[in-house]
């Protein structure tokens, strides 16, 4: 079974346009994310899946500059983009990661793959209230089941956002909720980048931890916030957390 981590990214964010290439400690946010994953998960291909719109040419150029795999497909039909990317790279299962999650925990991705190897689930998700924090979680999706979902729905919402289709049609899939270790689970920590305040928090975290190098563990992120709870005040008021 072939696994791949697919980072979904675009420049045309409504709330913070171009955010994926904004700098964190001198390097583009998207590169920081992909580089950390490539360093800590060398056995799994890491692919940035962006759109074929001209607005996303800078993402392609960044990938070229840093030697990162890049796939380009539909802007709005993200389901279709994932499927085409999986076909291009011969993937049976994708670990979906948001391009606005620079602190995605590689251990989360490993936990999803490990759980899947024990039982052949269609969909596993660490993006839940007892899973990894918001912005550090991922989902593992069967490409076969993703293709079935894509054929069954013409909804632009489902095709763009992908994940809600599985939750709204859970009776049709073998799904598993993946729980995080207690020292990682923090449902009130929000580490995604949707707003300028989120970027401010992420920049502070990288600045605090730069003495640990570029590949500090996610546990160090948790410890930093645990010891400096005032950091939560930067963006906590902007997010509600996971529904599931």
């Amino acid at each position: 079974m072939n696994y791949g981590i697919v980072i979904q990214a675009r420049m045309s964010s409504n709330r913070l346009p171009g955010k994926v290439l904004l700098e964190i400690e001198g390097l583009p946010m998207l590169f920081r994310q992909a580089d950390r994953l490539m360093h800590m998960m060398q056995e799994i291909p890491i692919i940035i899946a962006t759109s074929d719109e001209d607005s996303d040419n800078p993402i392609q150029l960044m990938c070229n500059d840093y030697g990162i795999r890049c796939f380009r497909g539909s802007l709005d039909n993200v389901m279709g983009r994932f499927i085409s990317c999986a076909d291009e790279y011969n993937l049976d299962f994708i670990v979906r990661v948001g391009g606005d999650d620079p602190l995605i925990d590689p251990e989360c991705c490993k936990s999803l793959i490990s759980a899947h190897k024990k039982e052949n689930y269609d969909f596993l998700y660490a993006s839940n209230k007892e899973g990894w924090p918001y912005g550090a979680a991922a989902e593992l999706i069967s490409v076969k089941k993703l293709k079935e979902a894509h054929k069954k729905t013409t909804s632009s919402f489902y095709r763009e956002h992908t994940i809600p289709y599985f939750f709204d049609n859970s009776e049709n899939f073998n799904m598993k909720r993946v729980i995080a270790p207690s020292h990682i689970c923090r449902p009130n920590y929000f580490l995604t980048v949707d707003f300028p305040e989120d970027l401010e928090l992420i920049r502070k975290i990288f600045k605090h931890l730069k003495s640990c190098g570029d590949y500090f563990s996610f546990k160090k992120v948790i410890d930093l916030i645990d010891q400096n709870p005032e950091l939560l005040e930067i963006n906590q008021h902007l997010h509600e957390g996971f529904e599931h």
Side-chain angles (χ1 to χ4, degrees):
M1 295 185 291
N2 294 326
Y3 299 92
I5 296 177
V6 180
I7 303 172
Q8 172 187 334
R10 63 186 175 102
M11 294 290 286
S12 51
S13 165
N14 294 325
R15 289 174 288 201
L16 191 57
K19 63 184 178 182
V20 295
L21 295 186
L22 294 177
E23 288 192 357
I24 299 174
E25 289 294 304
L27 291 168
M29 182 173 83
L30 189 56
F31 169 73
R32 288 276 185 196
Q33 179 184 37
D35 183 51
R36 283 169 55 79
L37 285 169
M38 288 190 296
H39 177 79
M40 294 184 253
M41 298 197 68
Q42 298 179 15
E43 71 284 6
I44 301 291
I46 313 297
I47 306 150
I48 292 176
T50 191
S51 88
D52 50 17
E53 299 289 316
D54 288 346
S55 60
D56 285 322
N57 287 347
I59 293 177
Q60 174 81 69
L61 291 173
M62 186 218 73
C63 290
N64 294 347
D65 287 344
Y66 290 107
I68 302 170
R69 295 178 180 90
C70 184
F71 178 84
R72 303 189 72 170
S74 171
L75 175 64
D76 296 322
N77 184 356
V78 180
M79 265 193 189
R81 193 195 312 171
F82 282 144
I83 290 167
S84 298
C85 178
D87 287 345
E88 175 77 16
Y89 287 94
N90 193 32
L91 304 178
D92 300 308
F93 302 93
I94 62 172
V95 177
R96 174 199 168 273
V97 172
D100 44 12
D101 297 343
L103 287 172
I104 179 71
D105 186 6
E107 294 302 321
C108 173
C109 300
K110 291 177 183 178
S111 292
L112 290 168
I113 293 171
S114 177
H116 183 264
K117 286 180 176 179
K118 293 175 183 176
E119 184 174 340
N120 191 16
Y121 292 97
D122 301 326
F123 181 87
L124 299 94
Y125 59 105
S127 47
N128 64 76
K129 293 177 181 179
E130 295 179 278
W132 269 255
Y134 201 93
E139 300 87 25
L140 187 150
I141 310 169
S142 159
V143 175
K144 178 182 177 181
K145 294 299 180 179
L146 188 61
K147 288 179 177 179
E148 290 178 8
H150 189 255
K151 287 180 180 178
K152 288 180 179 178
T153 182
T154 57
S155 163
S156 58
F157 174 79
Y158 283 142
R159 287 188 166 189
E160 178 180 358
H161 298 283
T162 307
I163 303 305
Y165 183 87
F166 288 89
F167 287 130
D168 292 347
N169 298 274
S170 59
E171 68 279 3
N172 297 325
F173 302 102
N174 184 17
M175 298 174 55
K176 180 177 177 63
R177 194 168 179 255
V178 177
I179 307 303
S182 59
H183 66 274
I184 292 296
C185 183
R186 298 290 188 279
N188 62 325
Y189 289 12
F190 300 100
L191 301 170
T192 196
V193 177
D194 283 331
F195 302 97
E197 292 89 341
D198 297 325
L199 184 60
E200 178 187 352
L201 172 61
I202 296 299
R203 283 173 168 166
K204 284 181 180 293
I205 290 171
F206 272 87
K207 185 174 182 178
H208 274 290
L209 296 177
K210 66 180 178 181
S211 62
C212 302
D214 291 334
Y215 309 116
F216 51 82
S217 70
F218 188 68
K219 179 63 165 57
K220 287 190 179 295
V221 177
I222 295 296
D223 290 344
L224 174 66
I225 302 176
D226 285 350
Q227 294 161 15
N228 300 273
E230 68 276 6
L231 289 170
L232 297 175
E233 298 173 8
I234 296 174
N235 72 338
Q236 196 172 44
H237 61 290
L238 298 170
H239 301 281
E240 296 180 358
F242 295 118
E243 295 179 5
H244 301 276

